[in-house]
Structures are given as structure tokens and as C-alpha cells.
Amino acid sequence: MSDRRSFLKKTAGFAAAAAGLTTCLPAQANGQSSIKWDEEVDLLVIGSGFAGQSVAVNSIRAGIKVTVLEKMQVIGGNSAINGGWFAVPRNPVQLAQGVTDDSPAELVKDQMIAARGMGNEAMLTRLAEMALPAYNMCLDAGVKFKKDFNIQVGGHNKARAVRLESGTGGGIITKLYEAGLSEGVDYRLQHKVEDFIMDGDEVIGVVVRKGYRFPDEGTGHLVKIRARKGVVLATGGFTRNMKLRSIVDPSLDPSLDCTNHLGATGEATLAAMTHGALPVHMNMIQTGHWGSPDEGGFGWSNALLSIGWHKGIAVNPTTGTRIMDERADRLTCSTAIMACRHKDGSPAYPLVFFNKNDHLGDSRVTRAVRDEMAWEFDSLELMAKKFDVPLKQLEATVEQWNSYVADKNDPDFNRKMDTAVKLAAPFVVSRVWPKVHYCMGGLKTDLDGRVINAKTLAPMKKFYAAGEATGGVHGHARLSSCACLEGLAIGFIIPNTIKADA
């Protein structure tokens, strides 16, 4: 039987081994007869982001009673504050735009390129095939997407990304929560899972700190909840766990800001590992190249840069020259951006700028200028003076870029030029610097969402994982707009698995 002391001891034990990425940890052998349960439920879902909400809603619709445990005071986790982008091949807006040659296979092709040989093509395919059902689930729940909006985002070869009208994933979280609540899902806030209770290789329940108030670990009290039909871990990533981050990826600059909420610390994932769950790709932590040093957390920069990457260019302020294919994937762009340094090694925040007059009244611009994370300049001279950029080189860069636009060819970085425009003052300018954003590492699952045991390499019984808590799906780089897809799509798969395992 697990208590808090043994949980912490086991967690520390994992931390020492996590850098090796794989380890064989002893499974617990708790006799069911000796456990005094405080409560029994059918299916426990841990976490209330995209994955947790989708699993909950689809499970209740499949006839499985669901209880969702959320450790924070509000639902949604990172999903509630993300940028609200959703990759959906063959969505209605895409088809109306005349893009009729897209498919789930086309999306997976792009994802596998970004994965750099480390992605799980079979899993990506299963998820991509559920994109349209997941999109329709959102519409049925009352989710509002931006009207007639569907664009091509970094690393994708087609325009297939729709976006929430609200500009954040909260637009989905709120509506799925309302749907789940009306259909009978039991949601509980401030319930922090501290350990799993095992019977051999089977998860039979959890130890929960009920009444927990983040981040005070002394709040609440421990209870044991039995889960008759299984446990789904959907707690997201661990980017706010600085100690774990530094262990699994010492190269990650600890001074980088993070887009995630403060509770993204991964303790339930670590607890699962102590019971034998197989970790994979824990050292692959993605940065969002659209971060702004002029606002904290996730912010609005990614929305502004959905213009900048298409209609503008990114320039190193120390040289006045372009630095990258502005439409490449996150890993490519983050690497190029973080190479921009002053002589003393401090960050030289690259400038991304585009034509002001082409986007008059656009809320992405007015909001960014209002919040002073973007500026308007009537000339290159004024821009160069503000950010100490070599003016003559900056003028030469813009002149050269405009010739590339005329030729529809970018010989410097081979950027796709279908949305590129000639640059002319006045300009909207923002600064960029990557922020820690997404964990590609987590628990290894089979294609049906079952957690894999590190010792046997076989599925653990009645233990499932979903979304960012899993690993090995996206390889080295997850493409933009695919977190929403992954979290929502797996919710269609796991309920079928649970019924098959019953």
C-alpha cells in the first residue's frame, strides 16, 4: 500500500534513472483484500485538458461511467490557455477554399518529416484519421471556430489549421466540460493523484490528495479510490518541473520562459513510472519559436506571428539579415532564432515585421500593439534606430526580399512563397525568442492507448494514457496545431479499448 512518504521516495528514485530514458522498476503487489477503499468508481480520468475531456465525453457516450480528477482549482490545464489551433484535414473551410487534395495521410507525411525519423507513423495515422470526428464533436458541443479561417502553419504542406474564435483552447475546454457535465461525467477539482495502487500488473485504484490547493503540498487529505474499469492518465507534460527538465535535457536553457501553466509538473507520470510504466523520449522537449520576450507565458505572440511568418521576414538585429525559412517547423526555427546572440552571448531577439497597411483593424495587430509586445514604424530607419540594427544592411535585406517575392523564389532558405508579399512601410514589428512549450516524452502506449510495462514490454492492465502525458508519438518535433488534434482524437480510441478489455 502506498502512502505519501513512499511516493516521494519512489519519485526521487525515478529522477536518478530518468536520464537513461528506460528503466525496469518493480511493480507493486498489493493484495486487494488488505486495502480499505474510501470510494469506488468505474473509470478514472486524471486531467481535464483536451485528452481528458475527450476521453470523458466519449466514454460516457459509450456507456462507461466516468470520474475526472483535476488537481488544479480550474479545469483545462495547458489546453485552456493554448493558442486554439487545430489541424483538421478535409475540414469544411479547407474544402471551401478549394484545397481538395488533403487527407490524414498527407498530414502524417508532414509530421514524419518533422519527427526526423523518431515519430510513430502508425499512431500518428490513427490520430489523424480521428481529426474530422473530433472537429465535429467540438461543433456539436457548441465550439465556435473563426469564420472562414483555415491557414497553413509551420511545417505543414497544406492549409489545414482552423482556429478557435476565442483565440485559446479554452473555447473547446469550456464546451466539452459543459457537454460532459450535462451527460453525467463527474468532475472533481483539487484532487491530486499521488500514487497508483496496483495488484500485480493491474492498476486497481489511486491515492488522491483531496482538497489540494496548488502548490501547497500540505493541503487536503489522502483518500483511496478504486477504479473498476481502469485509469486514464491525461495530465499533460512536465515543462514546469525544472528539476526533471534539467535531468532529462541538460542542454535546455533554464532561463527560457515557459508557455505552460504552473501545475504542469508531471508527478502523476513519475508515479506511474515507479510502478513499471515505460518512459520514452523524455529528453525531447519542444520550444515554441513564436514566443515573445515582451510578454509572459503563452501570450498573444503566436497569433501575431501567424501573420508574420507568412507576410513578413525574420531578421537578426545584430546583422540586419534574414535568419531562416519563416514557415519551417518549430525545431528548425527555434534553432535559428537562438543562434542570434550579442558578442557577450546574451540573446539578440530577432525582429519579425510585415506591412501595417495590409492588416488594418486586425485584432491580432491591435491587441499586440496595445499590449506593447509589437510596435509600428513608418520607416526602416526608425525601426533600425529603435532596435540598433545596421540600417544599410536592413535596407538591402528588404530590397533583396522584395526581389525574391517578384521571382517567387527564395534562394536563401527555399521558403514556400505562395503567401509572401513585398515589404513597404509602415511596418508592424515584434521581437521573438523561443519558450519551453511541449514534452514529446512521456509514457509509451500501444496503438489503443494502453500503457506499456518497462519490464515485459507488454500492455499493463486497465492502465491507459492520452495526450502530452504519452511519449514517442511526434519524435523530435511536434507540428503546430497537432496538440489539439492528438488530445481530442485519442478520446475516440481509448473508450473502445476499455470496452474491449472488459
Side-chain angles (χ1 to χ4, degrees):
M1 187 168 65
S2 300
D3 58 19
R4 177 164 173 73
R5 176 175 292 180
S6 62
F7 161 71
L8 293 173
K9 184 178 179 181
K10 284 181 286 188
T11 300
F14 164 74
L21 305 184
T22 60
T23 182
C24 293
L25 295 164
Q28 299 297 298
N30 297 311
Q32 291 191 52
S33 61
S34 64
I35 300 172
K36 183 179 179 181
W37 300 103
D38 296 285
E39 185 178 3
E40 295 192 14
V41 300
D42 281 347
L43 179 65
L44 269 179
V45 176
I46 310 171
S48 62
F50 293 139
Q53 293 281 2
S54 184
V55 169
V57 168
N58 284 294
S59 294
I60 201 87
R61 291 175 180 175
I64 304 169
K65 292 183 179 179
V66 187
T67 300
V68 176
L69 304 181
E70 168 58 57
K71 76 174 182 181
M72 305 300 282
Q73 287 91 330
V74 296
I75 62 165
N78 286 328
S79 300
I81 59 173
N82 91 337
W85 298 89
F86 184 3
V88 187
R90 302 194 67 75
N91 72 72
V93 181
Q94 182 192 50
L95 295 175
Q97 291 173 339
V99 183
T100 58
D101 58 346
D102 199 13
S103 67
E106 278 291 306
L107 168 58
V108 172
K109 190 186 303 180
D110 291 342
Q111 291 176 302
M112 289 302 294
I113 292 171
R116 293 161 171 78
M118 297 295 283
N120 184 334
E121 186 171 4
M123 192 65 185
L124 289 169
T125 299
R126 287 213 71 186
L127 297 170
E129 289 174 344
M130 289 294 113
L132 205 51
Y135 175 73
N136 289 329
M137 173 182 69
C138 292
L139 292 179
D140 291 343
V143 174
K144 300 292 186 185
F145 292 93
K146 290 185 70 173
K147 186 179 179 182
D148 301 329
F149 187 89
N150 176 72
I151 69 170
Q152 183 176 342
V153 292
H156 293 257
N157 79 78
K158 298 183 187 305
R160 59 168 72 100
V162 297
R163 190 164 190 238
L164 274 296
E165 187 178 80
S166 61
T168 75
I172 291 177
I173 291 299
T174 302
K175 291 301 181 183
L176 289 188
Y177 170 70
E178 290 174 357
L181 203 60
S182 68
E183 295 178 36
V185 175
D186 178 12
Y187 292 94
R188 303 181 188 183
L189 300 177
Q190 297 178 254
H191 281 61
K192 181 188 177 189
V193 171
E194 301 214 344
D195 203 359
F196 297 89
I197 301 174
M198 312 294 294
D199 184 6
D201 196 35
E202 179 179 338
V203 178
I204 58 173
V206 294
V207 179
V208 180
R209 183 164 290 276
K210 184 178 180 180
Y212 171 69
R213 290 190 65 82
F214 176 85
D216 188 344
E217 301 301 317
T219 53
H221 63 280
L222 298 179
V223 298
K224 298 182 184 69
I225 303 177
R226 183 182 181 190
R228 289 184 287 259
K229 295 188 176 180
V231 174
V232 181
L233 181 68
T235 50
F238 55 86
T239 53
R240 287 292 186 177
N241 187 331
M242 297 300 289
K243 185 174 183 179
L244 180 58
R245 262 175 52 180
S246 66
I247 289 172
V248 299
D249 185 2
S251 70
L252 194 61
D253 183 347
S255 69
L256 288 179
D257 194 2
C258 180
T259 64
N260 291 181
H261 77 121
L262 296 176
T265 45
E267 62 275 350
T269 302
L270 293 174
M273 293 176 190
T274 68
H275 291 288
L278 176 67
V280 62
H281 294 180
M282 292 291 286
N283 61 327
M284 295 183 185
I285 301 174
Q286 185 176 64
T287 54
H289 65 295
W290 32 257
S292 166
D294 299 300
E295 62 178 356
F298 201 102
W300 297 113
S301 180
N302 79 318
L304 181 71
L305 290 168
S306 66
I307 302 174
W309 300 140
H310 283 270
K311 307 295 184 181
I313 58 175
V315 168
N316 184 336
T318 69
T319 64
T321 57
R322 277 179 73 215
I323 59 172
M324 63 187 187
D325 169 5
E326 290 83 356
R327 293 176 60 181
D329 65 45
R330 290 170 171 172
L331 181 56
T332 299
C333 291
S334 285
T335 302
I337 291 170
M338 285 197 283
C340 297
R341 302 276 176 176
H342 294 292
K343 290 181 179 179
D344 63 359
S346 61
Y349 303 128
L351 306 175
V352 179
F353 58 96
F354 56 86
N355 299 335
K356 172 185 173 182
N357 289 340
D358 294 343
H359 303 279
L360 295 175
D362 191 313
S363 62
R364 292 170 290 181
V365 175
T366 55
R367 187 170 52 203
V369 173
R370 178 200 67 192
D371 293 347
E372 299 183 338
M373 46 78 58
W375 299 264
E376 297 173 342
F377 293 100
D378 290 333
S379 67
L380 287 176
E381 183 177 7
L382 291 173
M383 186 196 312
K385 184 177 180 181
K386 167 73 174 179
F387 297 107
D388 196 22
V389 185
L391 177 59
K392 288 190 178 302
Q393 180 57 57
L394 183 62
E395 291 173 335
T397 295
V398 170
E399 182 178 352
Q400 185 180 57
W401 168 254
N402 287 342
S403 71
Y404 292 170
V405 174
D407 296 339
K408 297 183 178 179
N409 179 43
D410 174 15
D412 293 338
F413 298 102
N414 197 31
R415 168 173 154 179
K416 191 175 180 180
M417 300 295 280
D418 59 327
T419 57
V421 298
K422 289 185 178 181
L423 293 171
F427 303 106
V428 175
V429 186
S430 65
R431 306 195 300 175
V432 293
W433 197 252
K435 296 182 180 182
V436 178
H437 180 57
Y438 191 88
C439 296
M440 259 77 71
L443 302 186
K444 178 68 177 177
T445 70
D446 68 8
L447 297 180
D448 298 315
R450 302 180 186 90
V451 173
I452 298 299
N453 186 300
K455 185 174 183 179
T456 64
L457 300 183
M460 299 174 74
K461 295 178 182 176
K462 297 185 179 180
F463 195 16
Y464 314 91
E468 194 181 354
T470 67
V473 178
H474 300 281
H476 279 288
R478 176 181 65 74
L479 289 182
S480 175
S481 70
C482 291
C484 184
L485 163 62
E486 179 183 4
L488 295 174
I490 192 67
F492 286 80
I493 296 169
I494 287 180
N496 290 331
T497 310
I498 293 169
K499 295 188 78 171
D501 291 346

